[in-house]
Amino acid sequence: MFKNLLKNTDYIALAAMLLLFVIGVVAIFSAGYMTDLNKDEYIKQIVWFGLAFVLMVIVWAFDYSIFGVVGYIIYGINLILLVAVLFMPSLMGASSWFNLGGVLYQPSELMKIGYILSMAKMISKFLDINPIEKKKRIMFCIGMGALLIVPVVLILLQPDFGTAVVFLSISAFMIFKMGIKYRYILVVFVIAIALLPVIYFFVLNPTQQERIKVFIDPSLDPLGSGYNAIQSKIAVGSGMLLGTGFLKGTQTQYGYLPIKSSDFIFSVISEEFGFVGSVAVIVLFTVLLLRIIRVSRNARDHFASYAVMGIAGMFAFHFIENIGMTIGLLPITGVPLPFVSYGGSNLITNCLAMGIVLNVSARKSNNMFLD
């Protein structure tokens, strides 16, 4: 049994993940090298990864047929926590975290896993419904819509626009896999464009509105809201081809680069390891995403296939948004770079997601169960 699981596991995806983590630890070490406040973050990241890796192996070991029920449980618990967290003190402009004795827990992180598994389970049931049972199919569609809308609204109330969009990306990947007709996609796109003014004026808080203005023109507030974007682009640009050298980045080491161990970790890599280091990260993420999509295509049933595709959507948005915001192509949202950015909650969520991917990759045939 275990021999078969080990044989079929996607080791290319696992290797890409591990390499990204190693690059992240090196960058986090550099980010905290000249400061006393963040000097030991790389050690904490290694400890978090040790815990996350154990959880990943546990997830890999059990047959994924139980994950549908587990997904609903995770979804329900974190839905309650998403309501409760709204009454917590604001941290960095949002009520998104519980402070558990000095350890910050963000319920929206594990909610991603709960949502992916729950939505995959509902889609698998929906696909089994006879097309002539239109009322039942409509009810399932309403249920799937509610499954998405409720956590997104609660996360927007925190407010955390970046994380809310992650859920939309997850849904988009799953919906595309369902083979939705392009005219429906066009309708949704038009509605989304029409809702942009409503979101801007009535959903986003003043800080988030300011981020969008500064994204369009950082020079509007070079020492305030535009500071992060300007310093990040300076760091990325100063790396040139081969970088300034490890622990030799001016922006990184002398404190010009903000939130450098988490949000702007890619800027640290770009400055000190240059274009070559940046491309290495992008190539590893591309390989990881392609392998995940491959696992989804080869999965033995609908539930597994859609769960893995949802994970691809989660990683893809984080990857594109984080790198995009560091080079000035996308607004700054505070979305971390998977396996690279510092942070326990996000690292555990990502490793749990990878555990699901490896689990599905290891069970391509119906006789491979762990009893």
Side-chain angles (χ1 to χ4, degrees):
M1 170 57 68
F2 282 104
K3 185 177 180 180
N4 286 335
L5 294 179
L6 290 170
K7 179 181 177 181
N8 290 299
T9 295
D10 193 325
Y11 288 105
I12 296 177
L14 179 60
M17 182 204 81
L18 292 174
L19 287 171
L20 285 168
F21 169 73
V22 171
I23 291 172
V25 170
V26 171
I28 292 167
F29 175 82
S30 178
Y33 183 69
M34 294 286 285
T35 67
D36 293 328
L37 183 63
N38 308 111
K39 205 172 187 68
D40 63 344
E41 282 186 339
Y42 77 98
I43 297 175
K44 293 179 182 177
Q45 187 77 345
I46 293 172
V47 172
W48 278 116
F49 183 75
L51 172 61
F53 192 84
V54 170
L55 293 174
M56 184 183 76
V57 171
I58 292 173
V59 171
W60 165 85
F62 286 93
D63 182 63
Y64 64 72
S65 60
I66 67 170
F67 290 172
V69 175
V70 172
Y72 287 132
I73 294 172
I74 295 173
Y75 182 94
I77 292 173
N78 283 278
L79 193 65
I80 295 170
L81 293 177
L82 282 176
V83 175
V85 81
L86 296 176
F87 300 96
M88 294 294 105
S90 178
L91 181 63
M92 292 184 288
S95 298
S96 303
W97 294 270
F98 290 103
N99 191 333
L100 306 174
V103 177
L104 297 178
Y105 171 67
Q106 191 173 7
S108 60
E109 284 297 330
L110 270 184
M111 174 56 89
K112 296 173 190 174
I113 300 296
Y115 173 71
I116 288 170
L117 294 176
S118 299
M119 180 61 80
K121 190 66 175 178
M122 290 195 73
I123 290 175
S124 66
K125 290 181 178 179
F126 174 80
L127 294 174
D128 289 336
I129 299 174
N130 192 313
I132 65 173
E133 298 182 84
K134 292 184 178 180
K135 289 184 178 180
K136 196 171 182 180
R137 290 171 69 89
I138 291 172
M139 290 303 296
F140 260 86
C141 288
I142 293 172
M144 288 187 285
L147 201 71
L148 169 65
I149 292 171
V150 174
V152 167
V153 170
L154 290 173
I155 291 168
L156 286 173
L157 290 174
Q158 293 178 1
D160 185 351
F161 183 74
T163 301
V165 178
V166 174
F167 284 80
L168 300 180
S169 176
I170 292 168
S171 303
F173 270 64
M174 289 180 160
I175 290 170
F176 279 130
K177 185 171 178 59
M178 290 178 71
I180 189 170
K181 294 179 180 178
Y182 286 108
R183 64 172 177 267
Y184 296 136
I185 297 173
L186 180 61
V187 170
V188 172
F189 179 76
V190 171
I191 293 173
I193 294 297
L195 286 175
L196 285 179
V198 177
I199 294 172
Y200 180 83
F201 289 107
F202 300 103
V203 176
L204 302 183
N205 60 30
T207 301
Q208 292 168 325
Q209 291 175 355
E210 189 66 22
R211 284 181 177 178
I212 292 176
K213 292 177 184 177
V214 172
F215 160 67
I216 297 172
D217 184 7
S219 64
L220 289 174
D221 190 9
L223 298 178
S225 301
Y227 180 84
N228 292 1
I230 292 171
Q231 297 304 320
S232 177
K233 287 193 284 186
I234 291 173
V236 173
S238 64
M240 294 189 285
L241 181 62
L242 299 176
T244 58
F246 183 50
L247 303 179
K248 295 180 180 179
T250 302
Q251 297 295 111
T252 299
Q253 301 305 328
Y254 292 99
Y256 296 108
L257 188 64
I259 326 175
K260 52 190 175 179
S261 63
S262 55
D263 294 0
F264 292 96
I265 196 69
F266 186 76
S267 304
V268 174
I269 296 169
S270 297
E271 181 179 33
E272 298 195 343
F273 299 98
F275 179 75
V276 172
S278 302
V279 169
V281 171
I282 292 171
V283 168
L284 285 171
F285 265 113
T286 302
V287 170
L288 180 61
L289 287 172
L290 289 176
R291 298 302 295 189
I292 291 174
I293 291 171
R294 181 178 181 274
V295 170
S296 174
R297 291 177 60 185
N298 294 331
R300 71 186 184 195
D301 56 47
H302 289 310
F303 168 67
S305 180
Y306 281 93
V308 173
M309 187 57 72
I311 290 168
M314 179 179 75
F315 284 153
F317 178 80
H318 274 263
F319 166 53
I320 294 170
E321 167 58 23
N322 181 273
I323 293 179
M325 76 180 190
T326 61
I327 61 179
L329 293 180
L330 294 171
I332 295 173
T333 59
V335 171
L337 191 60
F339 306 110
V340 182
S341 292
Y342 172 75
S345 295
N346 185 254
L347 186 59
I348 288 174
T349 297
N350 292 333
C351 283
L352 288 174
M354 277 303 299
I356 296 169
V357 172
L358 297 177
N359 188 316
V360 174
S361 74
R363 294 171 170 82
K364 296 177 183 177
S365 60
N366 289 325
N367 63 345
M368 296 173 65
F369 286 89
L370 178 63
D371 296 319

